[in-house]
Amino acid sequence: MMKVLFAGCLLFLLLNVAHVECRVAPVESRRHDDDSSPDRLYKLFIFGDSIADDGNVPNPGLNRGSRAWYYPYGMSDDDHDNSPTGRFSNNMVQSDFLAKILGHDESPPPYAAHKARRGKKSNRINSSGMNFANASSGAVYLVPTLGAQIDQFSSLVSDGVITERDLDESVALVAYSGRDYGRISNSASDDYIARFADDVTEEIAGIVKQLQELGVPKVLVNSVPPLGCTPWMSRFTNYDHCDKRGNMISDAHNTALLDKLGKEKNVMLLDVNTMFTELVSPKPGSTLSKQFKYMYQPCCESIDASGYCGQYDGNRPLFRLCRNPDEYFYWDYIHPTHAGWKAVMQLLQGPIMAFLGISNLNHF
Ligand SMILES: *[C@@H]1O[C@H](CO)[C@@H](O)[C@H](O)[C@H]1NC(C)=O
Ligand SMILES: *[C@@H]1O[C@H](CO)[C@@H](O)[C@H](O)[C@H]1NC(C)=O
């Protein structure tokens, strides 16, 4: 019964008309599922950029790129002493919530941690998997590319660090959020944007194929969030609405992605774009509207438009921090808060469980 419901839900998502029906059914109606056999515990391999990274970016000292290693990043993260962990959020990021849906506590550890202790301790990977996502990454133009992350993964497979058994029980997430599109100039034509999106999605489709050839049975691929709704762009509207052109670029990407991967078996397109849009810029009458008091304005805002959250001039902070991050969808100019990601991933939990055949609802 639940399976059927979820499958219908998945269809809704693919048709891009997701509504609250896709929320996971309340626990009450799931009680009878309790006696079913326990879910298998998937290992998780994560690829992508800053929306999924949990510590792969080096920390050479505070700068824009390494800011996730500094206050106020991680300030709400009770499980890690409210300290920064290299995640671009006040607490958890998308990869953590996916891990929770799978029954783990948080994202698997970063590849960087494995690399750092290579040769010293046991060479086994963590039983929850490994996270290769690197906040500096793009698909084509920014290094290390997603392809380089696959190379890191692939060499662990050839070295036998990741075993066939690990792979058999695994699922991969490709969490690409569109950084390459920052290269597109304001005067670029629609045709140019379409060709650009074609190149980027071609690369992503290739990545998915490589993962499958390496033996990963199920792959989740994010759509790109509405770039025009990020505070980085909506600040030009005084945080009043999303930038149309930015969203058009996301749409070009997502259309091309659907075209290339929409019919692939064992690949699920995770429509984070629709969920962001529903939460940040809901259509009139949507039941999701006003879940967040502040939909466009970030909790952590740099005083200088060219600055960044966490920047200091000596002891003087060059950013303003909100009182309650839970009231905000966005944490900094680009990234959602913990509460933002939680809301997005709750909307996707049912379809993900259906795709992976998970029957236990893990609350988060
Ligand atoms: C595996 O990873 C989890 C999450 O990062 C961590 O809490 C746990 O301590 C790790 N286990 C081992 C054996 O290192
Ligand atoms: C992540 O990308 C940065 C910037 O290119 C690179 O220096 C770093 O080594 C990468 N991290 C890992 C774990 O490969």
Coordinates of all heavy atoms in Angstrom, one line a residue, residues 267-320:
V267 N 18.2 5.2 -11.8 CA 18.6 6.5 -11.5 C 17.4 7.3 -11.1 O 16.3 7.3 -11.7 CB 19.2 7.2 -12.8 CG1 19.5 8.7 -12.5 CG2 20.4 6.4 -13.2
M268 N 17.5 8.0 -10.0 CA 16.4 8.9 -9.6 C 16.8 10.3 -9.6 O 17.8 10.7 -9.0 CB 16.0 8.5 -8.1 CG 14.9 9.4 -7.6 SD 14.5 9.1 -5.9 CE 13.2 10.3 -5.7
L269 N 16.1 11.1 -10.3 CA 16.3 12.6 -10.3 C 15.6 13.1 -9.1 O 14.4 13.1 -8.9 CB 15.8 13.2 -11.6 CG 16.5 12.8 -12.9 CD1 15.9 13.6 -14.1 CD2 18.0 13.0 -12.8
L270 N 16.5 13.7 -8.2 CA 16.0 14.3 -7.0 C 15.6 15.7 -7.3 O 16.5 16.6 -7.5 CB 17.1 14.3 -5.9 CG 17.2 13.2 -4.9 CD1 18.1 13.5 -3.8 CD2 15.8 12.8 -4.3
D271 N 14.3 16.0 -7.3 CA 13.9 17.4 -7.7 C 14.0 18.4 -6.6 O 13.0 18.9 -6.1 CB 12.5 17.3 -8.3 CG 12.3 18.5 -9.1 OD1 13.1 19.4 -9.2 OD2 11.2 18.6 -9.7
V272 N 15.3 18.7 -6.2 CA 15.4 19.7 -5.2 C 15.0 21.1 -5.7 O 14.5 21.9 -4.9 CB 16.9 19.8 -4.7 CG1 17.4 18.5 -4.0 CG2 17.9 20.1 -5.8
N273 N 15.0 21.3 -7.0 CA 14.6 22.6 -7.5 C 13.1 22.9 -7.1 O 12.8 24.0 -6.6 CB 14.8 22.6 -9.0 CG 14.4 24.0 -9.6 OD1 13.3 24.4 -9.7 ND2 15.4 24.7 -10.0
T274 N 12.3 21.9 -7.4 CA 10.9 22.1 -7.1 C 10.7 22.3 -5.6 O 9.9 23.2 -5.2 CB 10.0 20.9 -7.5 OG1 10.1 20.8 -8.9 CG2 8.6 21.0 -7.1
M275 N 11.4 21.6 -4.7 CA 11.2 21.7 -3.3 C 11.7 23.1 -2.8 O 11.1 23.7 -2.0 CB 12.0 20.6 -2.5 CG 11.5 19.2 -2.9 SD 9.7 19.1 -3.1 CE 9.5 17.6 -3.9
F276 N 12.9 23.6 -3.3 CA 13.3 24.9 -3.0 C 12.3 25.9 -3.4 O 11.9 26.8 -2.6 CB 14.6 25.3 -3.7 CG 15.9 24.9 -3.1 CD1 16.2 23.5 -2.7 CD2 16.9 25.8 -2.8 CE1 17.4 23.2 -2.1 CE2 18.1 25.4 -2.2 CZ 18.3 24.1 -1.9
T277 N 11.8 25.8 -4.6 CA 10.8 26.8 -5.1 C 9.5 26.8 -4.2 O 9.0 27.8 -3.9 CB 10.5 26.5 -6.6 OG1 11.7 26.4 -7.3 CG2 9.6 27.6 -7.2
E278 N 9.1 25.6 -3.9 CA 7.8 25.5 -3.1 C 8.0 26.2 -1.7 O 7.1 26.7 -1.2 CB 7.5 24.0 -2.8 CG 7.0 23.3 -4.0 CD 5.5 23.3 -4.2 OE1 4.8 23.5 -3.1 OE2 4.9 23.2 -5.3
L279 N 9.2 26.1 -1.2 CA 9.5 26.6 0.2 C 9.8 28.1 0.2 O 9.5 28.8 1.1 CB 10.6 25.8 0.9 CG 10.2 24.4 1.2 CD1 11.5 23.5 1.5 CD2 9.4 24.4 2.5
V280 N 10.5 28.5 -0.9 CA 11.0 29.9 -0.9 C 10.0 30.8 -1.7 O 9.8 32.0 -1.3 CB 12.4 29.9 -1.6 CG1 12.8 31.3 -1.8 CG2 13.4 29.2 -0.7
S281 N 9.5 30.3 -2.7 CA 8.7 31.1 -3.6 C 7.4 30.4 -3.9 O 7.1 30.1 -5.1 CB 9.5 31.4 -4.8 OG 8.8 32.2 -5.7
P282 N 6.6 30.1 -2.9 CA 5.4 29.2 -3.1 C 4.3 29.9 -4.0 O 4.2 31.1 -3.9 CB 4.9 29.0 -1.7 CG 5.4 30.1 -0.9 CD 6.7 30.6 -1.5
K283 N 3.7 29.1 -4.7 CA 2.5 29.6 -5.5 C 1.4 30.0 -4.5 O 1.3 29.4 -3.5 CB 2.0 28.5 -6.5 CG 3.0 28.2 -7.5 CD 2.4 27.5 -8.7 CE 3.5 27.1 -9.7 NZ 4.4 26.0 -9.1
P284 N 0.6 31.0 -4.9 CA -0.5 31.4 -4.0 C -1.3 30.2 -3.6 O -1.6 29.4 -4.5 CB -1.3 32.4 -4.9 CG -0.4 32.8 -5.9 CD 0.6 31.7 -6.2
G285 N -1.7 30.1 -2.4 CA -2.5 29.0 -1.9 C -1.7 27.7 -1.5 O -2.3 26.8 -1.0
S286 N -0.4 27.7 -1.8 CA 0.4 26.5 -1.5 C 0.4 26.4 0.1 O 0.6 27.3 0.8 CB 1.8 26.6 -2.0 OG 2.6 25.8 -1.3
T287 N 0.2 25.1 0.5 CA 0.2 24.9 2.0 C 1.6 25.0 2.6 O 1.8 25.0 3.8 CB -0.3 23.5 2.3 OG1 0.3 22.6 1.3 CG2 -1.8 23.4 2.2
L288 N 2.6 25.1 1.7 CA 4.0 25.2 2.2 C 4.4 26.7 2.4 O 5.5 26.9 2.9 CB 5.0 24.6 1.2 CG 4.9 23.1 1.1 CD1 5.8 22.6 0.0 CD2 5.2 22.4 2.4
S289 N 3.6 27.6 2.0 CA 4.0 29.0 2.1 C 4.2 29.3 3.6 O 3.5 28.8 4.5 CB 3.0 29.9 1.4 OG 1.8 29.9 2.2
K290 N 5.1 30.2 3.8 CA 5.4 30.8 5.1 C 5.9 29.7 6.1 O 5.7 29.9 7.3 CB 4.1 31.5 5.7 CG 3.8 32.7 4.9 CD 4.8 33.8 5.2 CE 4.5 35.0 4.2 NZ 5.7 35.8 4.0
Q291 N 6.4 28.6 5.7 CA 7.1 27.7 6.6 C 8.3 28.4 7.2 O 8.7 28.2 8.3 CB 7.5 26.4 5.8 CG 8.2 25.4 6.8 CD 8.1 24.0 6.2 OE1 7.3 23.7 5.3 NE2 8.9 23.1 6.7
F292 N 8.9 29.4 6.4 CA 10.0 30.2 6.8 C 9.6 31.6 6.9 O 9.0 32.1 5.9 CB 11.2 30.0 5.9 CG 11.8 28.6 6.0 CD1 11.4 27.6 5.1 CD2 12.7 28.3 7.0 CE1 11.9 26.3 5.3 CE2 13.2 27.0 7.1 CZ 12.8 26.0 6.3
K293 N 10.0 32.3 8.0 CA 9.7 33.7 8.1 C 10.5 34.5 7.1 O 10.0 35.4 6.5 CB 10.0 34.1 9.5 CG 9.5 35.5 9.9 CD 9.6 35.7 11.4 CE 9.3 37.1 11.8 NZ 9.7 37.4 13.2
Y294 N 11.7 34.1 6.9 CA 12.6 34.8 5.9 C 13.0 33.8 4.8 O 13.7 32.8 5.1 CB 13.9 35.3 6.6 CG 13.6 36.2 7.7 CD1 13.5 35.8 9.1 CD2 13.3 37.6 7.5 CE1 13.2 36.6 10.1 CE2 13.0 38.5 8.5 CZ 13.0 38.0 9.8 OH 12.7 38.8 10.9
M295 N 12.4 34.1 3.6 CA 12.6 33.1 2.6 C 13.8 33.5 1.7 O 14.5 32.7 1.1 CB 11.3 33.0 1.7 CG 10.2 32.5 2.6 SD 8.7 32.2 1.8 CE 8.0 33.8 1.7
Y296 N 14.1 34.8 1.5 CA 15.1 35.2 0.6 C 16.3 35.8 1.4 O 17.5 35.6 1.0 CB 14.6 36.3 -0.3 CG 13.5 35.9 -1.1 CD1 12.2 36.3 -0.9 CD2 13.7 35.0 -2.2 CE1 11.1 35.9 -1.6 CE2 12.6 34.6 -3.0 CZ 11.3 35.0 -2.7 OH 10.3 34.6 -3.5
Q297 N 16.1 36.4 2.5 CA 17.2 37.0 3.2 C 18.0 36.0 4.0 O 17.4 35.1 4.6 CB 16.6 38.0 4.2 CG 17.7 38.9 4.8 CD 17.1 40.1 5.5 OE1 15.8 40.3 5.4 NE2 17.9 40.8 6.3
P298 N 19.4 36.0 3.9 CA 20.1 35.0 4.6 C 20.3 35.3 6.0 O 20.2 36.5 6.5 CB 21.5 35.1 3.9 CG 21.6 36.5 3.5 CD 20.2 36.9 3.1
C299 N 20.5 34.2 6.8 CA 20.7 34.4 8.3 C 22.0 35.1 8.5 O 22.2 36.0 9.4 CB 20.7 33.1 9.0 SG 21.3 33.2 10.7
C300 N 23.0 34.8 7.7 CA 24.4 35.3 7.9 C 24.7 36.2 6.7 O 24.9 35.6 5.6 CB 25.4 34.2 8.1 SG 27.1 34.8 8.4
E301 N 24.7 37.5 6.8 CA 24.8 38.4 5.7 C 26.1 39.2 5.8 O 26.3 39.9 6.9 CB 23.6 39.2 5.6 CG 23.5 40.1 4.4 CD 22.2 40.9 4.4 OE1 21.5 41.0 5.5 OE2 21.8 41.5 3.4
S302 N 26.9 39.3 4.8 CA 28.1 40.1 4.9 C 27.6 41.6 4.7 O 26.7 41.9 4.0 CB 29.1 39.7 3.8 OG 28.6 40.0 2.6
I303 N 28.4 42.4 5.4 CA 28.0 43.9 5.4 C 28.4 44.5 4.1 O 27.6 45.2 3.5 CB 28.8 44.6 6.6 CG1 28.1 44.2 7.9 CG2 28.7 46.1 6.4 CD1 29.0 44.4 9.1
D304 N 29.5 44.0 3.5 CA 29.9 44.5 2.2 C 29.5 43.4 1.2 O 29.7 42.2 1.4 CB 31.5 44.5 2.3 CG 32.1 44.8 1.0 OD1 31.4 44.9 0.0 OD2 33.3 45.0 0.9
A305 N 28.8 43.9 0.1 CA 28.2 43.0 -0.8 C 29.3 42.0 -1.4 O 28.9 40.9 -1.8 CB 27.5 43.7 -1.9
S306 N 30.5 42.4 -1.4 CA 31.5 41.5 -2.0 C 32.2 40.7 -1.0 O 33.1 39.9 -1.3 CB 32.6 42.4 -2.8 OG 33.3 43.2 -1.9
G307 N 31.8 40.8 0.3 CA 32.4 40.0 1.4 C 31.7 38.7 1.5 O 30.9 38.3 0.6
Y308 N 31.9 38.0 2.6 CA 31.3 36.7 2.9 C 31.0 36.5 4.3 O 31.5 37.2 5.2 CB 32.2 35.6 2.4 CG 33.6 35.6 2.9 CD1 33.9 35.0 4.1 CD2 34.6 36.2 2.3 CE1 35.2 34.9 4.6 CE2 35.9 36.2 2.8 CZ 36.2 35.6 4.0 OH 37.5 35.6 4.5
C309 N 30.1 35.6 4.6 CA 29.7 35.2 6.0 C 30.9 34.7 6.7 O 31.6 33.8 6.2 CB 28.6 34.2 5.9 SG 28.2 33.4 7.5
G310 N 31.2 35.2 7.8 CA 32.4 34.7 8.6 C 33.6 35.6 8.4 O 34.6 35.3 9.1
Q311 N 33.5 36.6 7.6 CA 34.7 37.5 7.3 C 34.9 38.4 8.5 O 34.0 39.0 9.0 CB 34.5 38.2 6.0 CG 35.7 39.0 5.5 CD 35.4 39.7 4.2 OE1 34.3 39.9 3.8 NE2 36.5 40.0 3.5
Y312 N 36.2 38.6 8.8 CA 36.5 39.6 9.9 C 37.6 40.6 9.4 O 38.3 40.3 8.5 CB 37.2 38.8 11.1 CG 36.2 38.2 12.0 CD1 35.7 36.9 11.7 CD2 35.8 38.9 13.1 CE1 34.8 36.3 12.6 CE2 34.8 38.3 14.0 CZ 34.4 37.0 13.7 OH 33.5 36.4 14.5
D313 N 37.5 41.8 10.0 CA 38.6 42.7 9.8 C 39.2 42.9 11.2 O 38.7 43.5 12.1 CB 38.0 44.1 9.3 CG 39.1 45.2 9.3 OD1 40.3 44.8 9.2 OD2 38.7 46.4 9.2
G314 N 40.3 42.2 11.4 CA 40.9 42.1 12.7 C 39.9 41.4 13.6 O 39.5 40.2 13.3
N315 N 39.4 42.0 14.7 CA 38.4 41.4 15.6 C 37.0 41.8 15.2 O 36.0 41.3 15.8 CB 38.6 41.9 17.0 CG 39.8 41.1 17.6 OD1 40.0 40.0 17.2 ND2 40.4 41.7 18.6
R316 N 36.9 42.7 14.2 CA 35.6 43.2 13.8 C 34.9 42.3 12.8 O 35.4 42.2 11.7 CB 35.7 44.6 13.3 CG 34.4 45.4 13.1 CD 34.8 46.9 12.9 NE 35.5 47.1 11.7 CZ 34.9 47.4 10.5 NH1 33.6 47.5 10.5 NH2 35.6 47.6 9.4
P317 N 33.7 41.8 13.1 CA 33.0 40.9 12.1 C 32.5 41.8 11.0 O 32.0 42.9 11.2 CB 31.9 40.3 12.9 CG 31.7 41.1 14.1 CD 33.0 41.8 14.4
L318 N 32.6 41.3 9.8 CA 32.1 42.0 8.6 C 30.8 41.4 8.1 O 30.5 41.4 6.9 CB 33.2 42.1 7.5 CG 34.5 42.8 7.8 CD1 35.5 42.7 6.6 CD2 34.2 44.2 8.1
F319 N 30.1 40.8 9.1 CA 28.9 40.1 8.7 C 27.9 40.3 9.9 O 28.3 40.6 11.0 CB 29.1 38.6 8.5 CG 29.7 37.9 9.7 CD1 28.9 37.2 10.6 CD2 31.0 37.9 9.9 CE1 29.4 36.6 11.7 CE2 31.6 37.2 11.0 CZ 30.8 36.6 11.9
R320 N 26.6 40.2 9.5 CA 25.5 40.3 10.5 C 24.9 38.9 10.6 O 24.7 38.2 9.6 CB 24.4 41.2 10.1 CG 24.7 42.7 10.3 CD 23.4 43.5 9.9 NE 23.2 43.4 8.5 CZ 23.6 44.4 7.7 NH1 24.2 45.5 8.1 NH2 23.4 44.3 6.4

